[in-house]
């Protein structure tokens, strides 16, 4: 019996000792308060194990901002939307550029930012002048700033007649070659000649889309991407005349040659515009042999007169219904001055019959088009041409134009339709 009692006592002592060890709290190190030379103070309250960002990197953070009286003046946490900015380029207050550069991905820090590293003597919103700001900051992730692609000795630099230079970084001979009007999906990083990054879709993790031939991008891009196939990467070296010219643009100085590392991700073929429905409509013929059909009338619209600057959309077809040119899917009307021999004779005659806002089908015999010579490669000699046209606007060039269409001159005096 005594043995049993002693055994029970031993078990109780052992269990008590184990329980005391189990519930003993682990000591937690108190965050160390660090003061920097600038006067910034911070402590790391949660340690991450990710990379440390560098100037130019895109960083993504969550934060809560307070005044010294504990009033919250801003919070990405409450919005449920992290804040992204480029580190070290002055997009945020000095205190933020400094503290985020000291963090690693996954770190959380409490930060005290003195007025001279915040908004100084200027009140901003609910933040009074000369305010010390308190922030809880968490560095969620980062995207390193793109660097110019390396070029090896085996890569040829090709110079075109315009002065554009390009270097193929990755070839894909079986890829689709873009055609005018195709939608291109691309990634790019743009650099000045000193290596400074000024723009990048890679950094934003969002490809850029545009229609080639629509004059929505700089000339160097319009030309350069005609040499690339889907899946290929290249370096474009673009002279300023094919970029932003004498004036520059934003952070791009005047007369800047530009370098782009580009990748053609996807070529989406243009969707050919549908021909006008002319069923049951009257076909009229002029003395010259021009035929026309009024598809949409606008009896109250002003007539086009010689000397007008005309903005028109058109789609051109051969007699076998092959489309050879169109402004419709590009979203860019064609501009010309009527009566100045800038377009073929059939256009000169037909547009003088029309009013602004009307749609016509024009059937132009060879003598009023490109005649016996044709226009290579699409238009053969002695071809009859069919155009579906719509007049968007027409105005006297000596008077200011009241709508948006006259803001840009897209005419080409050497291009006749």
């Amino acid at each position: 019996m005594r043995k049993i009692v002693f055994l029970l006592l031993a078990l109780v002592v052992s269990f008590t000792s184990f329980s005391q060890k189990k519930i003993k709290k682990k000591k937690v190190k108190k965050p160390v308060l660090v003061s920097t030379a600038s006067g910034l103070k911070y402590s790391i309250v949660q340690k991450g194990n990710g990379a440390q960002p560098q100037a130019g990197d895109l960083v993504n953070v969550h934060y809560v901002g307070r005044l010294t009286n504990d009033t919250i003046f801003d919070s990405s946490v409450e919005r449920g939307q992290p804040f992204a900015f480029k580190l070290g380029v002055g997009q945020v207050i000095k205190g933020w550029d400094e503290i985020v550069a000291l963090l690693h991905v996954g770190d959380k820090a409490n930060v005290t930012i003195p007025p001279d590293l915040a908004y100084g003597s200027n009140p901003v919103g609910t933040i009074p002048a000369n305010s010390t700001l308190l922030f809880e900051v968490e560095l969620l992730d980062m995207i390193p700033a793109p660097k110019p692609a390396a070029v090896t000795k085996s890569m040829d630099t090709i110079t075109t007649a315009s002065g554009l230079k390009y270097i193929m970084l990755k070839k894909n001979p079986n890829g689709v070659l873009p055609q005018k009007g195709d939608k291109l999906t691309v990634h790019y990083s743009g650099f000045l000649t000193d290596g400074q990054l000024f723009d990048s879709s890679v950094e934003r993790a969002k490809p850029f889309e545009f229609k080639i031939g629509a004059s929505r991008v700089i000339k160097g891009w319009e030309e350069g991407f005609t040499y690339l196939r889907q899946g290929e990467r290249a370096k474009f070296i673009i002279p300023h005349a094919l970029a932003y010219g004498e004036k520059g643009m934003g952070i791009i100085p005047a007369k800047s040659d530009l370098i782009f590392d580009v990748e053609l991700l996807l070529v989406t073929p243009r969707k050919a515009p549908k021909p006008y429905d002319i069923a049951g409509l009257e076909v009229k013929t002029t003395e010259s042999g021009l035929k026309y059909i009024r598809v949409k009338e606008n009896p109250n619209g002003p007539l086009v007169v010689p000397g007008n600057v005309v903005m028109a959309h058109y789609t051109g077809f051969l007699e076998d219904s092959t489309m050879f040119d169109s402004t419709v899917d590009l979203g860019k009307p064609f501009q010309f001055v009527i009566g100045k021999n800038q377009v073929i004779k059939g256009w000169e005659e037909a547009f003088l019959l029309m009013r602004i806002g009307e749609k016509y089908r024009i059937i132009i015999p060879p003598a009023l088009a490109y005649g016996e010579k044709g226009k290579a490669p699409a238009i053969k000699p002695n071809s009859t041409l069919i155009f579906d046209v719509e007049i968007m606007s027409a105005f006297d060039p000596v008077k200011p134009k009241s709508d948006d269409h006259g803001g840009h001159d897209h005419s080409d005096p050497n291009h006749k339709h």
Side-chain angles (χ1 to χ4, degrees):
M1 182 68 179
R2 289 183 64 188
K3 288 184 178 180
I4 294 173
V5 171
F6 282 127
L7 180 59
L8 288 172
L9 287 172
L11 288 172
V12 170
V13 171
S14 175
F15 179 78
T16 302
S17 175
F18 174 78
S19 298
Q20 288 175 342
K21 288 180 181 178
K22 185 176 181 181
I23 65 174
K24 187 176 181 180
K25 292 183 179 179
K26 184 179 179 181
K27 289 185 178 180
V28 178
K29 290 184 179 180
K30 187 177 180 180
V32 177
L33 183 65
V34 179
S35 297
T36 70
S38 68
L40 182 83
K41 295 180 181 180
Y42 72 96
S43 57
I44 304 295
V45 296
Q46 173 183 296
K47 188 67 177 172
N49 57 5
Q52 187 173 21
Q54 306 295 318
D57 292 347
L58 187 70
V59 294
N60 206 28
V61 302
H62 255 322
Y63 67 90
V64 178
R66 291 183 171 87
L67 303 177
T68 51
N69 64 6
D70 210 35
T71 300
I72 295 177
F73 61 83
D74 194 12
S75 173
S76 68
V77 177
E78 287 185 4
R79 289 193 298 274
Q81 182 177 357
F83 175 65
F85 68 97
K86 188 176 288 190
L87 184 64
V89 297
Q91 292 183 353
V92 291
I93 57 176
K94 293 178 181 178
W96 265 49
D97 267 337
E98 181 176 353
I99 183 57
V100 174
L102 296 170
L103 302 179
H104 292 75
V105 173
D107 282 354
K108 287 185 181 180
N110 291 332
V111 192
T112 302
I113 301 178
D116 60 311
L117 299 181
Y119 297 104
S121 59
N122 299 315
V124 176
T126 59
I127 302 173
N130 299 308
S131 290
T132 294
L133 305 181
L134 310 177
F135 282 97
E136 299 167 15
V137 181
E138 179 181 6
L139 179 55
L140 301 173
D141 56 43
M142 54 165 279
I143 300 174
K147 300 291 190 292
V151 176
T152 66
K153 292 181 179 180
S154 63
M155 298 176 180
D156 294 329
T157 300
I158 301 170
T159 304
T160 72
S162 69
L164 172 74
K165 296 179 180 180
Y166 67 96
I167 304 167
M168 297 301 299
L169 303 174
K170 176 189 173 184
K171 295 182 179 181
N172 182 27
N174 297 320
V176 177
L177 190 67
Q179 305 296 319
K180 182 180 178 182
D182 290 349
K183 183 176 75 174
L184 307 189
T185 303
V186 306
H187 258 320
Y188 70 90
S189 294
F191 305 90
L192 301 179
T193 52
D194 63 1
Q196 179 186 346
L197 177 74
F198 62 83
D199 191 18
S200 175
S201 67
V202 177
E203 190 174 57
R204 292 190 296 274
K206 184 178 180 181
F208 176 70
E209 295 181 348
F210 70 100
K211 285 187 177 181
I212 194 163
S215 299
R216 296 291 186 258
V217 291
I218 58 175
K219 292 179 180 178
W221 268 42
E222 287 280 16
E223 180 184 352
F225 276 101
T226 64
Y227 305 129
L228 268 61
R229 295 178 179 273
Q230 181 173 297
E232 293 188 330
R233 291 191 297 112
K235 185 183 292 287
F236 294 161
I237 303 165
I238 302 177
H240 70 269
L242 301 179
Y244 295 102
E246 302 286 329
K247 295 182 179 180
M249 173 71 73
I251 64 171
I252 299 173
K255 298 183 179 180
S256 289
D257 296 343
L258 303 179
I259 300 171
F260 284 93
D261 290 337
V262 301
E263 181 176 8
L264 180 49
L265 302 172
L266 180 65
V267 177
T268 305
R270 71 191 298 181
K271 294 180 180 179
K274 293 182 179 180
Y276 290 161
D277 182 2
I278 58 171
L281 298 179
E282 182 183 4
V283 180
K284 295 186 178 182
T285 305
T286 70
E287 292 182 3
S288 69
L290 174 78
K291 295 181 181 180
Y292 65 94
I293 303 167
R294 288 192 179 99
V295 178
K296 175 187 174 184
E297 296 188 48
N298 184 24
N300 297 321
L303 277 166
V304 176
V305 296
N308 276 174
V309 177
V310 178
M311 298 284 289
H313 268 310
Y314 70 87
T315 301
F317 303 93
L318 302 177
E319 287 187 291
D320 64 2
S321 299
T322 300
M323 187 187 79
F324 61 83
D325 197 9
S326 178
T327 63
V328 177
D329 57 343
L330 294 177
K332 180 187 108 176
F334 177 69
Q335 178 174 301
F336 67 99
V337 180
I338 196 160
K340 296 292 185 180
N341 196 34
Q342 292 181 357
V343 291
I344 57 177
K345 292 178 181 179
W347 268 43
E348 290 278 12
E349 180 179 350
F351 275 88
L352 289 174
L353 301 172
M354 298 178 68
R355 296 177 182 271
I356 296 173
E358 291 189 330
K359 294 182 179 181
Y360 273 41
R361 168 161 292 180
I362 307 167
I363 303 157
I364 304 177
L368 301 180
Y370 295 102
E372 295 179 355
K373 293 183 178 180
K375 186 174 176 63
I379 300 172
K380 296 179 180 180
N382 298 310
S383 291
T384 295
L385 303 182
I386 302 166
F387 287 94
D388 287 345
V389 299
E390 178 181 10
I391 296 186
M392 313 304 293
S393 65
F395 59 95
D396 187 336
V398 301
K399 296 178 181 179
K401 189 170 178 292
S402 59
D403 61 45
D404 292 335
H405 292 295
H408 303 280
D409 181 5
H410 300 299
S411 63
D412 180 355
N414 296 315
H415 186 151
K416 289 189 176 183
H417 293 285

